[in-house]
PDB file of all heavy atoms in Angstrom:
ATOM      1  N   LEU F 777      -5.663  58.692  20.313  1.00  0.00           N
ATOM      2  CA  LEU F 777      -6.095  57.735  21.324  1.00  0.00           C
ATOM      3  C   LEU F 777      -7.191  58.261  22.115  1.00  0.00           C
ATOM      4  O   LEU F 777      -7.009  59.421  22.738  1.00  0.00           O
ATOM      5  CB  LEU F 777      -4.901  57.260  22.176  1.00  0.00           C
ATOM      6  CG  LEU F 777      -3.807  56.517  21.433  1.00  0.00           C
ATOM      7  CD1 LEU F 777      -2.603  56.223  22.287  1.00  0.00           C
ATOM      8  CD2 LEU F 777      -4.333  55.240  20.752  1.00  0.00           C
ATOM      9  N   PRO F 778      -8.331  57.511  22.336  1.00  0.00           N
ATOM     10  CA  PRO F 778      -9.448  58.023  23.102  1.00  0.00           C
ATOM     11  C   PRO F 778      -9.335  57.867  24.654  1.00  0.00           C
ATOM     12  O   PRO F 778     -10.200  57.358  25.287  1.00  0.00           O
ATOM     13  CB  PRO F 778     -10.616  57.223  22.550  1.00  0.00           C
ATOM     14  CG  PRO F 778      -9.996  55.805  22.287  1.00  0.00           C
ATOM     15  CD  PRO F 778      -8.572  56.234  21.751  1.00  0.00           C
ATOM     16  N   PHE F 779      -8.147  58.306  25.166  1.00  0.00           N
ATOM     17  CA  PHE F 779      -7.868  58.206  26.577  1.00  0.00           C
ATOM     18  C   PHE F 779      -7.378  59.540  27.128  1.00  0.00           C
ATOM     19  O   PHE F 779      -6.748  60.335  26.412  1.00  0.00           O
ATOM     20  CB  PHE F 779      -6.944  57.053  26.751  1.00  0.00           C
ATOM     21  CG  PHE F 779      -7.354  55.754  26.225  1.00  0.00           C
ATOM     22  CD1 PHE F 779      -6.605  55.290  25.146  1.00  0.00           C
ATOM     23  CD2 PHE F 779      -8.448  55.099  26.635  1.00  0.00           C
ATOM     24  CE1 PHE F 779      -6.986  54.064  24.483  1.00  0.00           C
ATOM     25  CE2 PHE F 779      -8.849  53.863  26.045  1.00  0.00           C
ATOM     26  CZ  PHE F 779      -8.144  53.385  25.018  1.00  0.00           C
ATOM     27  N   ALA F 780      -7.477  59.689  28.460  1.00  0.00           N
ATOM     28  CA  ALA F 780      -7.084  60.912  29.074  1.00  0.00           C
ATOM     29  C   ALA F 780      -5.483  60.902  29.130  1.00  0.00           C
ATOM     30  O   ALA F 780      -4.809  59.878  29.012  1.00  0.00           O
ATOM     31  CB  ALA F 780      -7.617  60.933  30.493  1.00  0.00           C
ATOM     32  N   ASP F 781      -4.994  62.120  29.307  1.00  0.00           N
ATOM     33  CA  ASP F 781      -3.494  62.301  29.493  1.00  0.00           C
ATOM     34  C   ASP F 781      -3.067  61.506  30.748  1.00  0.00           C
ATOM     35  O   ASP F 781      -3.800  61.338  31.702  1.00  0.00           O
ATOM     36  CB  ASP F 781      -3.224  63.729  29.808  1.00  0.00           C
ATOM     37  CG  ASP F 781      -3.515  64.649  28.579  1.00  0.00           C
ATOM     38  OD1 ASP F 781      -3.840  64.088  27.524  1.00  0.00           O
ATOM     39  OD2 ASP F 781      -3.240  65.867  28.694  1.00  0.00           O
ATOM     40  N   GLU F 782      -1.883  60.824  30.666  1.00  0.00           N
ATOM     41  CA  GLU F 782      -1.283  60.182  31.775  1.00  0.00           C
ATOM     42  C   GLU F 782      -2.117  59.067  32.369  1.00  0.00           C
ATOM     43  O   GLU F 782      -2.130  58.848  33.559  1.00  0.00           O
ATOM     44  CB  GLU F 782      -0.782  61.254  32.801  1.00  0.00           C
ATOM     45  CG  GLU F 782       0.154  62.223  32.300  1.00  0.00           C
ATOM     46  CD  GLU F 782       0.684  63.275  33.220  1.00  0.00           C
ATOM     47  OE1 GLU F 782       0.286  63.072  34.485  1.00  0.00           O
ATOM     48  OE2 GLU F 782       1.381  64.189  32.815  1.00  0.00           O
ATOM     49  N   ALA F 783      -2.877  58.344  31.541  1.00  0.00           N
ATOM     50  CA  ALA F 783      -3.837  57.372  32.046  1.00  0.00           C
ATOM     51  C   ALA F 783      -3.208  56.034  32.257  1.00  0.00           C
ATOM     52  O   ALA F 783      -3.793  55.185  33.073  1.00  0.00           O
ATOM     53  CB  ALA F 783      -5.000  57.234  31.040  1.00  0.00           C
ATOM     54  N   PHE F 784      -1.987  55.778  31.718  1.00  0.00           N
ATOM     55  CA  PHE F 784      -1.413  54.424  31.812  1.00  0.00           C
ATOM     56  C   PHE F 784      -0.016  54.453  32.295  1.00  0.00           C
ATOM     57  O   PHE F 784       0.726  55.431  31.888  1.00  0.00           O
ATOM     58  CB  PHE F 784      -1.560  53.699  30.472  1.00  0.00           C
ATOM     59  CG  PHE F 784      -2.872  53.587  30.016  1.00  0.00           C
ATOM     60  CD1 PHE F 784      -3.423  54.531  28.959  1.00  0.00           C
ATOM     61  CD2 PHE F 784      -3.802  52.521  30.352  1.00  0.00           C
ATOM     62  CE1 PHE F 784      -4.617  54.389  28.530  1.00  0.00           C
ATOM     63  CE2 PHE F 784      -5.113  52.496  29.920  1.00  0.00           C
ATOM     64  CZ  PHE F 784      -5.540  53.370  28.945  1.00  0.00           C
ATOM     65  N   GLU F 799       1.074  60.511  20.739  1.00  0.00           N
ATOM     66  CA  GLU F 799      -0.076  60.072  21.529  1.00  0.00           C
ATOM     67  C   GLU F 799       0.353  59.004  22.521  1.00  0.00           C
ATOM     68  O   GLU F 799      -0.207  58.989  23.723  1.00  0.00           O
ATOM     69  CB  GLU F 799      -1.113  59.383  20.559  1.00  0.00           C
ATOM     70  CG  GLU F 799      -1.963  60.377  19.805  1.00  0.00           C
ATOM     71  CD  GLU F 799      -2.864  61.096  20.817  1.00  0.00           C
ATOM     72  OE1 GLU F 799      -3.894  60.504  21.092  1.00  0.00           O
ATOM     73  OE2 GLU F 799      -2.544  62.260  21.105  1.00  0.00           O
ATOM     74  N   ARG F 802       1.643  61.016  25.407  1.00  0.00           N
ATOM     75  CA  ARG F 802       0.569  61.797  26.125  1.00  0.00           C
ATOM     76  C   ARG F 802      -0.210  60.832  27.077  1.00  0.00           C
ATOM     77  O   ARG F 802      -0.493  61.260  28.198  1.00  0.00           O
ATOM     78  CB  ARG F 802      -0.522  62.290  25.040  1.00  0.00           C
ATOM     79  CG  ARG F 802      -1.543  63.033  25.667  1.00  0.00           C
ATOM     80  CD  ARG F 802      -2.623  63.516  24.572  1.00  0.00           C
ATOM     81  NE  ARG F 802      -3.275  62.487  23.949  1.00  0.00           N
ATOM     82  CZ  ARG F 802      -4.336  61.808  24.487  1.00  0.00           C
ATOM     83  NH1 ARG F 802      -4.757  62.136  25.733  1.00  0.00           N
ATOM     84  NH2 ARG F 802      -4.912  60.802  23.843  1.00  0.00           N
ATOM     85  N   VAL F 803      -0.481  59.620  26.691  1.00  0.00           N
ATOM     86  CA  VAL F 803      -1.259  58.743  27.599  1.00  0.00           C
ATOM     87  C   VAL F 803      -0.428  58.080  28.616  1.00  0.00           C
ATOM     88  O   VAL F 803      -0.966  57.468  29.618  1.00  0.00           O
ATOM     89  CB  VAL F 803      -2.058  57.617  26.756  1.00  0.00           C
ATOM     90  CG1 VAL F 803      -3.051  58.398  25.888  1.00  0.00           C
ATOM     91  CG2 VAL F 803      -1.154  56.661  26.092  1.00  0.00           C
ATOM     92  N   LEU F 804       0.872  58.116  28.499  1.00  0.00           N
ATOM     93  CA  LEU F 804       1.797  57.531  29.519  1.00  0.00           C
ATOM     94  C   LEU F 804       1.885  58.481  30.683  1.00  0.00           C
ATOM     95  O   LEU F 804       2.104  59.661  30.504  1.00  0.00           O
ATOM     96  CB  LEU F 804       3.188  57.260  28.954  1.00  0.00           C
ATOM     97  CG  LEU F 804       3.412  55.882  28.323  1.00  0.00           C
ATOM     98  CD1 LEU F 804       4.769  55.833  27.630  1.00  0.00           C
ATOM     99  CD2 LEU F 804       3.201  54.742  29.302  1.00  0.00           C
TER     100      LEU F 804
END
Side-chain angles (χ1 to χ4, degrees):
L777 295 175
F779 307 111
D781 296 356
E782 302 181 4
F784 304 97
E799 283 293 281
R802 182 183 66 78
V803 301
L804 273 174

